[in-house]
Amino acid sequence: MEHANPFALIFILLMGGVLFFYVSQARRGKDIYVRRIPGIDAIDETLGRSVELGRPIAFTSGLISIGPLFYACLSVLHYVAEKIARFSSKIYVPCFDPEVLVLSDATLQSAYQSANRLSQYDPTDVRYLSNNQFAYASGYMGLVHRENVGGAFLFGSFAAESLILAEAGQQVGAMQVAATTSNEQIPFFITTCDHTLIGEELYAAGAYLSNNSVQRGSLRAQDIMKLLLVALIVLGTIQATFAALSASEEPIAALKWVTGSWSAKGE
Amino acid sequence: MTRLRNKLIAFFTFIGGLYFFLEYILPAHIGGLEFGKYHEQISLAVQLIGLMAIGLGLINIFRVHGVRILKLQGGWFNSFVLLLGLAFVLVLQLLDFRRSEQRSDLLLEVKNFSLFVNRVVLEYEQKQIDYRPRLDALIDRLGVLKTQVKNSSSLLATGKQLDSERTEAQFVRSAEGAASATEQLKGALWQNNYRETKKITLDQLALLQSVTQELLDLNYEASPARRWGNFVFNGFFTPLGSAMFSLLAFYIVSAAYRSFRFRSWEAVVLMIPALIVMLGQIPHGPLYVYSGLPEIRRWLLEYLNTPAFRAIFFGSAIAGLAMSIRIWLSLEKSPLNTEETKQ
């Protein structure tokens, strides 16, 4: 069984502390600046364009399963679905995982309720396609072509099928916004989609769209923790350089501290 | 009611999160306490809850495609084929499951023969319980199994007929050998000199067990459900998946064409390293252009590409951690929460 070491515990607790500090500051009304990200601005543009054309939109989270990333995607789905409900347009949410299907369905219902359009909510808008990668890709392609979607949101976790999904949207002339933390798929989205959110920008999208104080405070806390990590990396690099110059065989102090276990036996 | 539901969700999220958090951060043993002792069972329970959603996935498929068929909407025939395929595979899997259960039952019975003989002998030694009717029952059962296998026709309806016939004959011989050894054990027990005969009987039963395993494997592979299942999977599903995957090659060319057009300086910056990496990768680059290309390619990937990927990874990991803490402590409005959304 995998267990954390003291460094991981300290890091998690520190993260929690910093998070609480900035969330409480944001709740007290302190303005926390979030820089504009063109990809997030493009969400509204995509929605507007699809509605003007009278075409539906598709929202896929790819091969995602339940986890923090999916939760971040749900925030965006809620925003998009609420807008779609207000404009009386149509949204399709094809799903790869049955658990994801259930939560996406609940989010869609919640969004329609927020827009006071619950009567327009259609449970068949959220569709379970397959939990096989390429069967899912083929189902998504079919849906995009059949329904002639005007906009597509690819927010989530993707693998080799990413280009197939994005090309399907490209073929029907849909405006596409993609966001993923799957590093290997980012180039494919950049070349095929109109806008791409990279890595943590996906997590930031929820904060940006909802203007929620907790999420904004959390963004600031993330930046602080990233600074800390960068400082650790610089410290480790300096120590490693000195260790290499002195030809010492002893593990460097920073490395020992970061990778050290609870007990000397490596429990 | 909704408020209570939301509170319950927040409570169970917190308790679940607390358990997994403590399980991860605490050492495996604290003094005499082993915190993660039941971790496997708890994880399995969590997975089981998730598995329940598969039923909802099926309902969704029937709802989406059933409505389309009933209303004869566009593409209803595709939906019909999909549901037909789904039902067909479901039936195949159920038949396959039933077959594998029967297989397990028989194998377990044969495995238990050795335990049974040991127990009969032990109880005779310790409690003087009569061994004869019990060993007779074992001999009768071995006879029944032998007859069943002899009369079984399913084994012959297979492409591996020779293997099956050979294994079937082996099974009959082993069952006869085991019955004969058990008969001898009865006599040996009567003469109170049974150590060697008991060992021979157990060896015969072990042989019978391994032949049974082989026979059941062959029988299982030869079953219609299994063969149809393999046909559907290997003959349809896998090639269709490969066909989808092969589309990638064409899409990559199309995507590369769009990105590598000299539309902007960014495109130029993207194109030059891409060209070097491509030429460094294929044999023609170093051969006809410049022999140092593979080394430049390696440098680009290791010193420019990898750090960039790591930076993205660090950002995502920290954002994921922050999101996890927010979910765990229910710090923010949930997109699933109907009550908290504005009306």
Side-chain angles (χ1 to χ4, degrees):
Chain A
M1 227 177 299
E2 201 183 336
H3 284 277
N5 58 9
F7 171 74
L9 176 60
I10 292 168
F11 189 81
I12 293 170
L13 292 180
L14 197 64
M15 176 87 208
V18 175
L19 185 77
F20 270 110
F21 176 74
Y22 281 105
V23 165
S24 62
Q25 278 210 329
R27 274 183 171 162
R28 271 192 232 118
K30 189 181 175 190
D31 184 38
I32 291 178
Y33 171 73
V34 180
R35 75 181 163 85
R36 295 188 77 81
I37 300 172
I40 300 176
D41 290 336
I43 291 176
D44 280 333
E45 194 187 334
T46 308
L47 286 171
R49 187 173 176 271
S50 306
V51 172
E52 278 174 13
L53 290 169
R55 287 160 67 178
I57 66 149
F59 188 104
T60 175
S61 294
L63 311 185
I64 207 165
S65 54
I66 303 292
L69 182 65
F70 178 57
Y71 209 76
C73 296
L74 283 185
S75 298
V76 182
L77 174 62
H78 190 279
Y79 176 84
V80 168
E82 194 181 329
K83 285 270 166 100
I84 284 292
R86 283 189 203 286
F87 297 139
S88 298
S89 189
K90 190 89 175 156
I91 178 171
Y92 292 106
V93 187
C95 298
F96 172 80
D97 185 323
E99 291 176 77
V100 165
L101 169 93
V102 177
L103 294 186
S104 301
D105 187 50
T107 304
L108 220 63
Q109 275 191 52
S110 160
Y112 272 77
Q113 194 169 344
S114 301
N116 284 329
R117 297 278 202 281
L118 196 55
S119 57
Q120 286 179 13
Y121 163 71
D122 180 359
T124 59
D125 289 346
V126 184
R127 293 179 183 183
Y128 175 59
L129 296 183
S130 167
N131 64 353
N132 176 276
Q133 183 185 14
F134 289 107
Y136 176 80
S138 121
Y140 178 86
M141 276 186 88
L143 185 136
V144 164
H145 281 273
R146 224 172 15 250
E147 307 296 344
N148 191 25
V149 302
F153 295 96
L154 302 107
F155 278 61
S157 174
F158 298 88
E161 81 296 341
S162 65
L163 193 57
I164 298 176
L165 306 185
E167 276 289 332
Q170 179 85 18
Q171 283 167 1
V172 294
M175 185 170 176
Q176 301 193 98
V177 183
T180 186
T181 52
S182 317
N183 283 345
E184 289 79 10
Q185 310 310 323
I186 291 169
F188 293 127
F189 283 139
I190 289 175
T191 52
T192 316
C193 297
D194 298 275
H195 293 276
T196 306
L197 302 176
I198 297 172
E200 62 179 316
E201 287 178 347
L202 196 165
Y203 288 96
Y208 193 90
L209 294 170
S210 66
N211 204 14
N212 181 300
S213 58
V214 174
Q215 293 191 1
R216 283 179 171 245
S218 170
L219 279 186
R220 176 62 60 85
Q222 283 164 225
D223 285 347
I224 301 292
M225 292 313 288
K226 262 190 292 180
L227 273 177
L228 182 77
L229 266 186
V230 169
L232 269 174
I233 290 169
V234 172
L235 183 74
T237 311
I238 293 168
Q239 281 213 350
T241 310
F242 274 108
L245 288 174
S246 64
S248 163
E249 295 205 352
E250 275 287 299
I252 56 172
L255 187 70
K256 268 202 299 194
W257 186 62
V258 169
T259 58
S261 61
W262 284 103
S263 68
K265 287 176 185 172
E267 191 175 22
Chain B
M1 193 65 191
T2 315
R3 182 169 294 192
L4 180 69
R5 193 194 72 158
N6 292 338
K7 279 187 177 166
L8 274 175
I9 290 172
F11 174 75
F12 283 113
T13 307
F14 178 74
I15 295 294
L18 186 68
Y19 167 74
F20 282 101
F21 176 66
L22 290 178
E23 196 281 326
Y24 178 64
I25 59 149
L26 292 178
H29 300 276
I30 316 165
L33 178 74
E34 195 182 342
F35 189 77
K37 196 175 176 184
Y38 299 106
H39 184 68
E40 209 170 304
Q41 286 89 334
I42 292 171
S43 301
L44 202 63
V46 173
Q47 283 175 24
L48 279 175
I49 294 170
L51 280 177
M52 289 177 194
I54 289 179
L56 294 170
L58 268 180
I59 292 171
N60 181 276
I61 287 178
F62 280 111
R63 188 189 264 173
V64 171
H65 296 279
V67 167
R68 191 176 293 159
I69 294 167
L70 290 175
K71 292 184 177 175
L72 293 179
Q73 289 170 342
W76 70 270
F77 187 71
N78 297 338
S79 296
F80 176 71
V81 172
L82 185 133
L83 290 188
L84 198 70
L86 182 73
F88 181 62
V89 172
L90 207 62
V91 170
L92 278 184
Q93 288 303 310
L94 284 173
L95 288 174
D96 193 42
F97 175 71
R98 194 167 149 258
R99 188 90 185 181
S100 64
E101 283 291 297
Q102 287 170 347
R103 178 169 164 244
S104 312
D105 289 347
L106 184 59
L107 198 61
L108 190 67
E109 186 187 357
V110 175
K111 272 183 184 168
N112 281 337
F113 286 163
S114 306
L115 295 174
F116 179 71
V117 167
N118 271 322
R119 189 169 170 176
V120 167
V121 173
L122 191 73
E123 287 183 352
Y124 169 69
E125 285 171 346
Q126 291 177 349
K127 301 175 190 170
Q128 299 300 310
I129 296 176
D130 191 2
Y131 56 83
R132 279 167 302 188
R134 304 170 92 186
L135 291 182
D136 281 342
L138 176 62
I139 293 166
D140 286 349
R141 184 65 191 146
L142 285 168
V144 170
L145 284 180
K146 192 180 76 178
T147 318
Q148 273 180 0
V149 168
K150 265 185 174 173
N151 295 339
S152 162
S153 57
S154 62
L155 285 173
L156 302 176
T158 147
K160 293 184 176 177
Q161 190 175 337
L162 281 176
D163 285 350
S164 304
E165 283 174 354
R166 184 179 51 78
T167 319
E168 190 190 66
Q170 268 181 1
F171 180 87
V172 171
R173 276 201 304 276
S174 306
E176 283 171 352
S180 158
T182 312
E183 193 66 53
Q184 284 174 19
L185 180 65
K186 262 169 60 185
L189 280 165
W190 176 252
Q191 291 164 4
N192 213 13
N193 181 20
Y194 53 85
R195 304 273 170 227
E196 189 61 29
T197 323
K198 182 187 160 195
K199 189 177 168 299
I200 292 168
T201 310
L202 291 177
D203 287 348
Q204 281 292 336
L205 288 171
L207 179 67
L208 178 69
Q209 188 186 316
S210 83
V211 176
T212 308
Q213 171 87 61
E214 198 182 331
L215 186 71
L216 287 173
D217 285 348
L218 278 170
N219 203 350
Y220 175 63
E221 289 300 326
S223 67
R226 186 77 181 157
R227 280 185 292 150
W228 272 99
N230 283 340
F231 175 68
V232 170
F233 191 79
N234 298 328
F236 282 96
F237 194 68
T238 309
L240 286 173
S242 305
M244 282 304 292
F245 187 59
S246 67
L247 284 178
L248 269 180
F250 303 101
Y251 287 159
I252 285 175
V253 174
S254 148
Y257 169 72
R258 278 198 301 274
S259 11
F260 292 154
R261 277 178 297 180
F262 286 99
R263 282 185 305 184
S264 61
W265 282 109
E266 285 94 337
V268 177
V269 171
L270 187 70
M271 171 145 186
I272 292 168
L275 200 66
I276 294 169
V277 169
M278 277 195 289
L279 286 174
Q281 183 80 30
I282 56 171
H284 291 275
L287 210 60
Y288 300 120
V289 184
Y290 173 52
S291 60
L293 278 174
E295 187 54 29
I296 301 173
R297 172 192 154 272
R298 190 189 63 79
W299 187 88
L300 283 171
L301 289 177
E302 279 184 20
Y303 295 99
L304 293 184
N305 196 43
T306 308
F309 270 10
R310 283 184 185 163
I312 296 170
F313 173 75
F314 270 126
S316 305
I318 289 176
L321 183 60
M323 175 61 94
S324 304
I325 294 174
R326 273 156 35 205
I327 299 171
W328 175 28
L329 303 176
S330 300
L331 283 179
E332 66 181 48
K333 281 182 193 171
S334 162
L336 308 165
N337 192 337
T338 48
E339 188 194 34
E340 289 174 9
T341 49
K342 55 188 179 291
Q343 293 294 311

